[in-house]
Amino acid sequence: MSTSHVEKMVDPSPEGAKDQGLPWVPLLALATAAFVGILTEALPAGMLPEMSRSLSVSESAMGQSLTVYAIASAITAIPLFALTATWRRKPLLLGAIAAIAVSNLVTAVSPDYLLTMVFRFIGGVAAGLIWALLVEYARRLAPPHLQGRAIAITMGGVPLALSLGIPVGTFLSGFFGWRMTFLLVAFLGVILMGWVLASVPDHVGKRGEQRESVLSALLRPGVVAVLFVVAAYVLAHNILYTYIATFLIEYEMGSSIGLVLLIFGIASMVSILIVGAQVDRRLRALTITSAILFALGTTLLAVFADSSVLVFVAAALWGLGWGGITTLMQTAVTDAGGDSAQALLVTTWNGFMAGGGAVGGILLELFGPRSFPWSVLLLLVPVLIVVLLARKHAFPAKRPGMV
């Protein structure tokens, strides 16, 4: 049997599945991988006081467990993507999930702050690799006209974890304690490995002559524009999301923090569903609409935050503008730059996610919490300008390959 014939068996092309529907079971397994990776990142935020007391460090020091995870994903995504480009995809994905499970297991039992941070870094590296792999997997599992929808399903775990990670961590730790919570997530990782092993097909890596360098992807038309939108959008979101409790307390809404986050989370999920259903044909319109909705919500927070009703409306608009952005940016950057551009997106996303907390802290010290929505609006203006102008390569009215 020839090598090419073997590759066709284990690595079917999208064209061969043109008349098929979406393979839901493997796509949902991939979505769960995304969820576990991002949930692991967000978990400490809801348990900082308990973790800091247990490990005998300050809350601010414990808060760096989130930062080190995001930085690990940011700085290792590109070299790891290049290093593993020719590796088989399924063993690589399983190895990354296993690394996150081990990271959570060690975090759950570790008596030492430094040991915890080392394994948080390892978990972040694995999460960045998973994120870079998932879109490539989704595109190869789906026919061309459904690739955007497949990406939406696969990456739906990211905004779900970003929206619900902190509430889930807080809720579980209240019942089981923070160590048992990390053990539960580690166990979820083990179950996920079995799911992936049973349902997700293997794919070959790219042969040497097929590989495209990350630098080549960066130089392709449209990629820089997409990455700029990612950077500004993620920075804006994380300035506000990281300090939303501080902002609400400023307006005497401290008792409504949970409700605001719940409204935001529900709206985010609605956005995911809408974008997932429409991204293949309306990527440009959805990106513009998302930015406008986020800007409208932020404007309400900037001008009418003394009205609790309008704050709730603002949270809904913000969620609608945020939930689908992962799918939109993943689809746009892959259309413009190919699979190699995923590593660039992971680096950009995680770098500016980590930067949101730092920039927000500076704004808090210099101008106070009321400056947050105004700063977000300043970031969203160039986002809209770039999306509107980059209509040829980055955010076209019709995606490549669509009829």
Side-chain angles (χ1 to χ4, degrees):
M1 186 179 293
S2 69
T3 302
S4 61
H5 185 58
V6 173
E7 287 183 7
K8 287 179 181 178
M9 289 176 62
V10 297
D11 191 20
S13 67
E15 287 76 16
K18 184 172 291 186
D19 297 325
Q20 299 175 5
L22 290 172
W24 282 92
V25 174
L27 287 175
L28 289 175
L30 297 176
T32 305
F35 177 81
V36 170
I38 302 299
L39 177 63
T40 298
E41 178 174 3
L43 270 180
M47 305 182 287
L48 285 181
E50 295 87 352
M51 293 181 71
S52 63
R53 283 195 299 269
S54 181
L55 296 176
S56 302
V57 296
S58 67
E59 287 190 33
S60 60
M62 201 67 248
Q64 300 314 303
S65 62
L66 283 86
T67 304
V68 74
Y69 193 100
I71 289 175
S73 295
I75 66 176
T76 62
I78 291 175
L80 267 182
F81 186 87
L83 177 66
T84 62
T86 60
W87 296 16
R88 300 197 72 87
R89 309 328 265 167
K90 187 170 180 174
L92 187 60
L93 177 60
L94 286 168
I97 296 170
I100 290 181
V102 171
S103 170
N104 284 320
L105 176 62
V106 173
T107 301
V109 301
S110 170
D112 181 71
Y113 175 74
L114 181 58
L115 178 64
T116 300
M117 296 298 277
V118 168
F119 276 84
R120 288 288 294 173
F121 185 91
I122 291 171
V125 172
L129 181 57
I130 287 175
W131 200 353
L133 282 172
L134 291 184
V135 171
E136 174 190 341
Y137 243 121
R139 289 170 67 92
R140 294 170 82 167
L141 284 170
H145 67 289
L146 292 176
Q147 285 179 353
R149 193 171 301 177
I151 292 172
I153 295 166
T154 299
M155 300 311 297
V158 173
L160 179 61
L162 289 172
S163 303
L164 301 180
I166 294 176
V168 166
T170 305
F171 176 79
L172 290 177
S173 65
F175 279 92
F176 305 112
W178 74 269
R179 292 187 183 276
M180 183 57 70
T181 299
F182 274 100
L183 277 176
L184 289 171
V185 179
F187 182 62
L188 177 59
V190 174
I191 294 174
L192 175 61
M193 289 179 65
W195 187 0
V196 170
L197 196 61
S199 68
V200 176
D202 194 8
H203 291 304
V204 296
K206 293 186 177 180
R207 293 188 294 269
E209 65 271 16
Q210 294 176 319
R211 293 169 58 184
E212 180 182 31
S213 71
V214 175
L215 178 59
S216 297
L218 180 63
L219 297 177
R220 292 179 66 173
V223 171
V224 170
V226 177
L227 294 178
F228 174 85
V229 171
V230 169
Y233 214 102
V234 171
L235 181 62
H237 167 78
N238 280 280
I239 287 172
L240 194 55
Y241 190 74
T242 303
Y243 294 96
I244 188 61
T246 304
F247 178 81
L248 293 174
I249 290 170
E250 173 75 9
Y251 286 93
E252 300 182 353
M253 287 189 64
S255 61
S256 299
I257 294 171
L259 180 56
V260 169
L261 288 175
L262 177 62
I263 292 171
F264 169 81
I266 292 172
S268 294
M269 293 310 300
V270 171
S271 176
I272 292 168
L273 294 173
I274 294 172
V275 169
Q278 299 293 325
V279 62
D280 286 305
R281 298 192 177 278
R282 295 181 173 85
L283 184 143
R284 177 177 174 81
L286 288 168
T287 304
I288 294 170
T289 302
S290 294
I292 290 173
L293 288 170
F294 189 5
L296 287 174
T298 306
T299 301
L300 289 180
L301 291 178
V303 182
F304 301 109
D306 52 350
S307 167
S308 59
V309 173
L310 291 180
V311 169
F312 297 145
V313 173
L317 292 171
W318 175 19
L320 289 171
W322 169 254
I325 205 67
T326 308
T327 298
L328 293 169
M329 295 301 103
Q330 293 276 8
T331 305
V333 82
T334 309
D335 283 349
D339 291 334
S340 297
Q342 286 302 315
L344 293 167
L345 185 139
V346 173
T347 295
T348 303
W349 189 291
N350 284 282
F352 282 86
M353 180 183 290
V359 172
I362 294 171
L363 290 170
L364 181 62
E365 289 295 323
L366 293 178
F367 306 109
R370 297 179 184 234
S371 66
F372 295 148
W374 295 108
S375 302
V376 170
L377 282 172
L378 286 176
L379 288 166
L380 291 177
V381 169
V383 164
L384 272 168
I385 292 173
V386 169
V387 174
L388 289 171
L389 293 179
R391 61 181 306 118
K392 184 174 182 181
H393 299 290
F395 302 101
K398 182 182 292 186
R399 289 184 57 227
M402 297 301 296
V403 294

